[in-house]
Amino acid sequence: MAKVVIIGSGIGGLSTGIILARLGFEVTVVEKNRQPGGMMRSYVRQGVHCNVGLHYLGALDAGQVLRRCFDHLGITADLPLMRMGTDGPIDRYLFSDARLGIESFDVPAGFAAYESNLRAAFPTQQPQIDALMAMLRRSGSQFEQLDFLYSERPPLSWFEQMEPLGAVFERLGCSPGLRAVFGLPSVLIGVPPAVCPQFYHTMALASYLFSAWRLTSNGAHMADVCAQRLASLGGRVRTGDGVVRIRTADGCVQGVTLASGETLDTDLVISTLHPKETLGLLPPESVKPSYRRRIEGLQDTHGMTAVHALVPAARHPAFAHNLFAIQTDASGDASDLIYVQLRPSERPDQNLLSLITSGHEALWDRWQHTVSGKRGKEYLQSKTDFAHRLLGQAEKITGPLSGVQLLDVSTPLTIRDWVNSPNGSAYGVMRSTEQLLSGALLNRTSLQGLFLAGQSVMAPGILGTIIGSLATVQFIIGPERFRREVRI
Ligand SMILES: Cc1cc2nc3c(=O)[nH]c(=O)nc-3n(C[C@H](O)[C@H](O)[C@H](O)COP(=O)(O)OP(=O)(O)OC[C@H]3O[C@@H](n4cnc5c(N)ncnc54)[C@H](O)[C@@H]3O)c2cc1C
């Protein structure tokens, strides 16, 4: 049986592990943290689970693309899910710039309902909406079929769908308001709309229009479900002992060395870490300087700062949609936003208010040489101050908040140290049109037996990362066996 060591137990590592275990590989996933899950995993404060990187999911209805992936992984039945958009919108966008001519926009479930909301909101933009919806439907259906994994078309033919969204807007003469609404989902994968390839924007928007869902448990539960599924297939997840070195000889992988000093021998290693982190685990002479330069030169998405707080449920009822308060530039493109989720918590009388905004990296700069848990009182105070400012801004959206009990604040430094993401990058390598070539085909490396997976190789998010896992498995077993044995 072929042995594989997978570095990292986020959704990238666990999904790759499950797919390979199903194919008969002997899988060992190695995780530096004490518990599996990476950014998918929630953490507990005062008995309440705070999600890190799992707030909502798209395309989970029977037959839809993420559902087919979950079915293949064998985790669907164990995940308690709630459909969004049955009694209201999935997302509510709120804008504050009068130049847009629109204050709020509701994203409903379904392409037809979304189209009709666009038409009602922008009566003078009907031809533009015709063109945008045709593009969205075309790319959405190709994405839904996972054509890029199963068709024999060469990858370059996909580049026709890589026109930057900004150029599409210019070409069609879209108004700033329409740009602001239609372009927003690209921000959800960390890419400014102007440079977001149309296909990636479609991935982000279409998957939620297909159907949108919330996990009613929490990220830790999902991580444990994935780890247990891998174990049921004979795979192992070793936690609390990270990889410090990928051992190589003569251009081939030989195994890994763990922080404890233990070595694991194998000629197949998959790293799901950010490619820059993976570089750091390799002997300097093992990769060509040109590869090193290419990886080191990649631009990453920004970090995020998140605030979790409890609010009295009687005064602040939960709502089933996401709220986005969006700042835009003159063209209508989003420059920053506050994401608001207010959902039930484990405490019956308290709801959990989660706010996420851009990382405000400069604020945390002075602590960049410190490590989590040891940054000192001033850092804690700065986090608390930031949280109160953000809560103040959120009040403009939620109305006055009272009885707020702050649970936790995480900054890009938190994410950096938690999962080893460079500078706390939330979504890894930025999928911008400028990086189409340098960021393409990251799954493979020049070292025999070393492959990459994780959110940076193809696309971020739970769905994008699993698709990246599938693509990496395809490289490992070859397209023919993949088509025969991995039916999604
Ligand atoms: C604030 C935020 C909100 C998000 N919201 C959503 C959402 O609502 N929906 C959605 O679909 N996506 C969302 N995402 C994105 C999604 O969470 C990520 O794309 C996905 O979880 C990335 O998975 P991964 O496996 O690539 O990386 P990670 O989860 O980072 O996994 C990498 C793992 O490797 C481990 N590791 C690092 N170094 C080593 C080492 N040397 N040895 C061993 N192990 C190591 C880390 O500890 C980690 O467990 C969000 C992300 C953020 C930051």
Side-chain angles (χ1 to χ4, degrees):
M1 204 191 305
K3 273 206 307 199
V4 57
V5 168
I6 298 175
I7 311 175
S9 71
I11 188 64
L14 292 175
S15 59
T16 308
I18 293 171
I19 301 163
L20 286 173
R22 283 195 53 171
L23 290 165
F25 284 74
E26 187 186 319
V27 176
T28 304
V29 174
V30 182
E31 168 59 49
K32 78 174 178 72
N33 290 336
R34 275 185 297 123
Q35 292 167 314
M39 283 199 265
M40 156 173 68
R41 192 172 190 95
S42 50
Y43 58 94
V44 180
R45 292 288 180 275
Q46 298 184 33
V48 173
H49 275 268
C50 303
N51 283 323
V52 180
L54 183 53
H55 299 276
Y56 71 135
L57 298 163
L60 269 175
D61 213 351
Q64 294 180 345
V65 58
L66 185 57
R67 172 66 176 272
R68 300 198 316 266
C69 292
F70 277 15
D71 287 349
H72 185 82
L73 297 176
I75 58 173
T76 312
D78 295 318
L79 297 177
L81 294 161
M82 186 196 89
R83 186 192 274 270
M84 299 170 71
T86 52
D87 190 20
I90 299 169
D91 296 329
R92 176 160 293 158
Y93 299 164
L94 302 172
F95 300 100
S96 50
D97 188 335
R99 289 174 299 181
L100 299 181
I102 182 167
E103 284 180 7
S104 81
F105 182 86
D106 279 357
V107 178
F111 283 66
Y114 178 71
E115 178 173 353
S116 85
N117 281 12
L118 281 182
R119 293 197 185 281
F122 304 105
T124 62
Q125 295 272 295
Q126 301 303 311
Q128 289 82 357
I129 294 169
D130 289 344
L132 292 176
M133 287 307 300
M135 177 184 89
L136 185 66
R137 286 197 166 94
R138 192 172 54 246
S139 303
S141 115
Q142 285 181 347
F143 168 58
E144 177 73 352
Q145 299 310 314
L146 292 178
D147 267 13
F148 49 94
L149 283 175
Y150 290 104
S151 90
E152 287 170 34
R153 283 168 63 189
L156 274 177
S157 66
W158 294 103
F159 275 42
E160 72 203 43
Q161 293 183 50
M162 295 300 174
E163 185 179 6
L165 202 55
V168 175
F169 290 144
E170 295 292 328
R171 181 161 55 72
L172 298 174
C174 296
S175 68
L178 181 56
R179 273 181 87 126
V181 167
F182 193 83
L184 199 270
S186 73
V187 182
L188 306 184
I189 52 170
V191 191
V195 292
C196 184
Q198 173 249 307
F199 187 75
Y200 283 103
H201 166 268
T202 293
M203 265 181 87
L205 174 56
S207 62
Y208 292 120
L209 293 181
F210 287 136
S211 64
W213 306 78
R214 266 186 198 166
L215 197 60
T216 55
S217 56
N218 49 64
H221 178 239
M222 178 157 162
D224 292 339
V225 165
C226 293
Q228 282 155 16
R229 171 66 178 148
L230 177 58
S232 76
L233 294 165
R236 287 199 309 160
V237 184
R238 297 190 45 159
T239 55
D241 199 1
V243 171
V244 291
R245 179 65 71 215
I246 299 172
R247 289 181 295 112
T248 66
D250 303 325
C252 301
V253 161
Q254 300 216 304
V256 298
T257 305
L258 307 184
S260 61
E262 192 183 337
T263 57
L264 304 178
D265 296 331
T266 172
D267 50 15
L268 183 56
V269 171
I270 303 171
S271 173
T272 66
L273 316 187
H274 189 290
K276 289 175 188 166
E277 284 294 320
T278 304
L279 263 189
L281 299 177
L282 287 165
E285 69 287 354
S286 65
V287 292
K288 285 192 185 138
S290 57
Y291 180 74
R292 184 171 292 279
R293 276 197 304 277
R294 175 182 156 212
I295 299 297
E296 283 170 351
L298 287 168
Q299 188 190 357
D300 294 315
T301 54
H302 288 291
M304 306 228 211
T305 297
V307 172
H308 297 282
L310 289 176
V311 291
R315 267 178 268 166
H316 301 294
F319 44 81
H321 56 276
N322 302 304
L323 265 183
F324 295 85
I326 303 155
Q327 275 174 35
T328 45
D329 62 23
S331 69
D333 290 350
S335 50
D336 200 359
L337 58 77
I338 304 174
Y339 169 84
V340 184
Q341 191 185 65
L342 183 56
R343 60 183 290 170
S345 78
E346 286 83 348
R347 310 244 297 256
D349 52 340
Q350 303 280 310
N351 283 333
L352 175 64
L353 175 67
S354 302
L355 308 175
I356 305 176
T357 190
S358 59
H360 293 266
E361 274 82 354
L363 255 183
W364 319 112
D365 241 16
R366 49 188 280 223
W367 291 283
Q368 64 164 303
H369 300 296
T370 62
V371 293
S372 268
K374 294 187 180 156
R375 303 199 210 280
K377 279 191 191 144
E378 276 185 67
Y379 174 73
L380 296 179
Q381 190 56 51
S382 296
K383 288 208 300 184
T384 307
D385 294 346
F386 184 89
H388 288 298
R389 285 200 300 278
L390 198 62
L391 284 160
Q393 288 170 14
E395 282 191 324
K396 292 182 199 139
I397 317 159
T398 58
L401 292 165
S402 57
V404 178
Q405 199 185 322
L406 195 57
L407 284 181
D408 192 58
V409 184
S410 68
T411 72
L413 297 180
T414 321
I415 296 284
R416 182 196 69 179
D417 293 356
W418 170 241
V419 295
N420 285 351
S421 180
N423 301 314
S425 167
Y427 300 112
V429 170
M430 190 188 282
R431 292 283 140 200
S432 63
T433 41
E434 288 142 2
Q435 300 203 119
L436 274 184
L437 285 177
S438 53
L441 300 176
L442 288 175
N443 318 62
R444 288 184 297 194
T445 72
S446 58
L447 278 162
Q448 197 178 322
L450 178 64
F451 293 84
L452 307 189
Q455 65 173 355
S456 283
V457 297
M458 260 188 114
I462 300 297
L463 175 58
T465 306
I466 295 175
I467 290 173
S469 302
L470 288 164
T472 298
V473 170
Q474 191 195 43
F475 280 121
I476 292 170
I477 65 171
E480 276 165 31
R481 182 171 175 205
F482 185 83
R483 266 194 288 274
R484 251 191 347 261
E485 296 183 37
V486 186
R487 293 307 311 169
I488 302 288

